[in-house]
Amino acid sequence: MLLPLLTPDVVAGRSEVSDAVTVGDEVFSRSDLVGAATSTAERLGAVSRVAIEAVPSMQTVIAVVGALMAGVVVVPVAPDSGTAELRHILDDSGAQAWLGATPTDACGRPHIPVRLYARSWHRHPQPRAGAPAMVMYTSGTTGPPKGVVMTHGAIAAGIDALAQAWQWTPQDTLVHGLPLFHVHGLILGLLGPLRIGGRLVHTVKPTPENYAAHPGSIYFGVPTVWSRMAAAPEHARALRSARLLVSGSAPLPPTVFEALRELTGHEPVERYGMTETLITISTRADGERRPGWVGLPVEGVQTRLRDDAGEDLPHDGEAVGELLVRGPMVASGYLDRPEATAESWLPDGWFATGDAALIDADGMHRIVGRMSTDLIKSGGNRIGAGEIEGSLLGHGSVAEVAVVGVADDDLGQRIVAFVVRAADDPTDPDTLARTLIDHVARSLSAHKRPREIRFVDDLPRNAMGKVVKKKLLTDG
């Protein structure tokens, strides 16, 4: 039986420390947080769903905890949301009010402020494990963002599985500066330490200087954070006393993995998940950490691969197919979108991720991209673009890269790599192109080599910083 996600007993039932939660310059003990959150919960009244502009502040922390304790559904909103996206999220979610910091644009919703120093010890009924806790919106790469309904039980199961995989205990101090409107920063980075115990330090901004200034045992970052850390050796070395460096949300370049190992003495823990599934796969605190691979299914999770016909593929480290996952942390569906839900949530409990992956005989998983843009069918072979990108990023002349499949009369698709060269690389473009093609052929296999290298000044990205490969295919 799952414990409730957050109740006064769960949050406060750990050893009391005066600095349980730190956000920038604000520091709260665990009892301070419970008292302020309970006071906030009392003032929500008949509200059943609230939007929270997730600025990195103690107000946001209290707003999230208070709403969850009261059984009110939280709708996290990015502070930089544009007008059209903001209105879509508020209207689509049915949010009745804003809770927390004063929003930039209230869009006609009333604002319920959070009083940092108000305290109450009133007890609220515990939400059911199957009750909705959050509606989190996807990045909307294929249309308007869709609301993902996460239950209290799913979030609790996801956190507990990671506690087992990472040996995460109340003795740990988590340090990060990630946004509080994504799975990584909000569910893992805020609700994780509150449920498990220990300390949380949110640095507001995830800079190398801020991370180095706050001693911790676990540090969270995305690849951009870790690449900047690797470029700042004096700050990276300050993390040698840590226990785990965790990377997610995008593939970590092998060169950054190696640099962090050299500078910090730690091989980063990589993990895989989605808004719809939370974290389902991860390398272990006590297990193998292989650059470019995201590890094994966490406790309670099953995975498999399927081909275009829906048939299962072997776990041989070569066969690439769509990754399907099943586990207690998977969301219950898209809000008010039964057709979209039916496309991804299969009748037998499996969730179709849309991600192309391979699994080796030991169960290690490698994500090679999206099925729609990153699975390349060339000369009868099924090839993952992410595997080729990882190989190219291991070459010192490559700063950034995106690999796509371009229509080809002979091969079906030919592999084309769009490469941003490392600064001040002196190599002649034609020579470098041949070198990179040979590099992939040697490190992977001949049929996975790019047939063409196109050098570009930068790669097109969306608001989330992800490369828009469809734009490369149309404009490149």
Side-chain angles (χ1 to χ4, degrees):
M1 179 67 179
L2 288 169
L3 290 172
L5 172 60
L6 290 177
T7 67
D9 289 341
V10 170
V11 177
R14 313 291 183 185
S15 58
E16 178 67 304
V17 289
S18 61
D19 56 347
V21 179
T22 300
V23 184
D25 296 329
E26 292 278 356
V27 182
F28 268 39
S29 69
R30 204 169 300 279
S31 60
D32 282 337
L33 175 60
V34 171
T38 305
S39 174
T40 297
E42 279 188 343
R43 291 186 294 108
L44 291 177
V47 173
S48 61
R49 192 163 296 181
V50 293
I52 296 176
E53 187 173 37
V55 296
S57 70
M58 192 66 76
Q59 283 182 309
T60 296
V61 172
I62 293 169
V64 170
V65 177
L68 293 176
M69 283 182 171
V72 174
V73 177
V74 170
V75 182
V77 178
D80 61 351
S81 296
T83 302
E85 181 175 289
L86 175 61
R87 289 187 178 277
H88 166 73
I89 290 173
L90 294 176
D91 292 342
D92 186 74
S93 68
Q96 299 157 289
W98 286 98
L99 176 64
T102 304
T104 303
D105 184 352
C107 292
R109 266 75 173 179
H111 173 232
I112 303 172
V114 165
R115 298 167 183 159
L116 287 180
Y117 301 105
R119 299 289 183 268
S120 173
W121 309 108
H122 177 79
R123 300 186 67 83
H124 293 267
Q126 297 178 357
R128 295 178 296 104
M134 290 189 182
V135 177
M136 302 188 75
Y137 278 79
T138 64
S139 55
T141 55
T142 57
K146 297 186 289 288
V148 179
V149 182
M150 299 300 307
T151 66
H152 284 258
I155 295 174
I159 293 170
D160 291 350
L162 289 178
Q164 190 272 340
W166 297 345
Q167 299 177 359
W168 191 356
T169 74
Q171 283 67 54
D172 281 306
T173 295
L174 170 64
V175 178
H176 75 92
L178 300 175
L180 295 179
F181 49 88
H182 292 156
V183 167
H184 200 166
L186 176 57
I187 293 180
L188 276 63
L190 171 58
L191 302 185
L194 292 181
R195 179 171 174 80
I196 293 167
R199 292 176 171 85
L200 164 64
V201 177
H202 194 285
T203 63
V204 180
K205 293 183 178 180
T207 64
E209 295 86 352
N210 286 347
Y211 277 31
H214 293 91
S217 57
I218 304 176
Y219 289 80
F220 283 176
V222 297
T224 300
V225 172
W226 295 124
S227 64
R228 291 174 181 172
M229 181 65 76
E234 70 281 12
H235 298 308
R237 293 189 186 99
L239 273 53
R240 295 188 72 88
S241 61
R243 189 172 66 81
L244 292 178
L245 310 183
V246 179
S247 182
S249 301
L252 183 70
T255 51
V256 177
F257 184 101
E258 298 298 339
L260 289 173
R261 175 162 56 186
E262 180 180 347
L263 291 168
T264 69
H266 298 291
E267 295 180 336
V269 165
E270 296 188 66
R271 85 301 181 283
Y272 165 80
M274 305 173 66
T275 304
E276 292 90 337
T277 67
L278 301 185
I279 307 307
T280 51
I281 302 168
S282 179
T283 50
R284 300 294 204 265
D286 58 356
E288 179 187 6
R289 304 176 201 175
R290 193 186 305 170
W293 295 72
V294 294
L296 306 169
V298 299
E299 188 174 28
V301 170
Q302 297 171 287
T303 63
R304 62 187 177 95
L305 300 175
R306 69 175 180 180
D307 62 16
D308 295 339
E311 298 296 323
D312 284 351
L313 292 170
H315 296 180
D316 58 6
E318 289 291 333
V320 177
E322 183 180 15
L323 178 66
L324 273 62
V325 303
R326 181 164 63 184
M329 64 287 295
V330 175
S332 55
Y334 293 120
L335 181 67
D336 297 331
R337 282 176 169 76
E339 292 182 1
T341 297
E343 288 178 6
S344 297
W345 278 264
L346 308 183
D348 53 358
W350 291 95
F351 178 81
T353 68
D355 283 327
L358 53 86
I359 306 172
D360 73 7
D362 296 323
M364 287 286 282
H365 290 58
R366 182 176 187 135
I367 309 300
V368 295
R370 295 294 290 171
M371 291 289 290
S372 58
T373 56
D374 295 313
L375 181 62
I376 302 170
K377 300 173 184 178
S378 182
N381 297 297
R382 295 162 62 91
I383 303 162
E387 190 176 15
I388 303 170
E389 290 164 352
S391 175
L392 288 169
L393 285 169
H395 194 283
S397 296
V398 177
E400 296 179 89
V401 64
V403 170
V404 299
V406 176
D408 186 276
D409 291 339
D410 179 39
L411 297 169
Q413 289 181 302
R414 72 179 186 278
I415 301 170
V416 177
F418 290 81
V419 172
V420 178
R421 300 177 59 167
D424 303 322
D425 184 273
T427 314
D428 170 75
D430 290 339
T431 301
L432 180 57
R434 290 193 298 271
T435 299
L436 294 178
I437 291 170
D438 290 343
H439 170 78
V440 175
R442 288 194 309 273
S443 64
L444 298 179
S445 59
H447 73 269
K448 296 179 181 179
R449 71 190 187 281
R451 300 300 177 122
E452 182 183 352
I453 302 288
R454 300 184 190 179
F455 294 107
V456 294
D457 293 331
D458 52 48
L459 299 174
R461 297 180 183 274
N462 63 16
M464 300 293 293
K466 296 182 179 179
V467 175
V468 183
K469 291 193 174 181
K470 291 182 179 179
K471 189 170 180 61
L472 286 174
L473 289 168
T474 56
D475 298 349

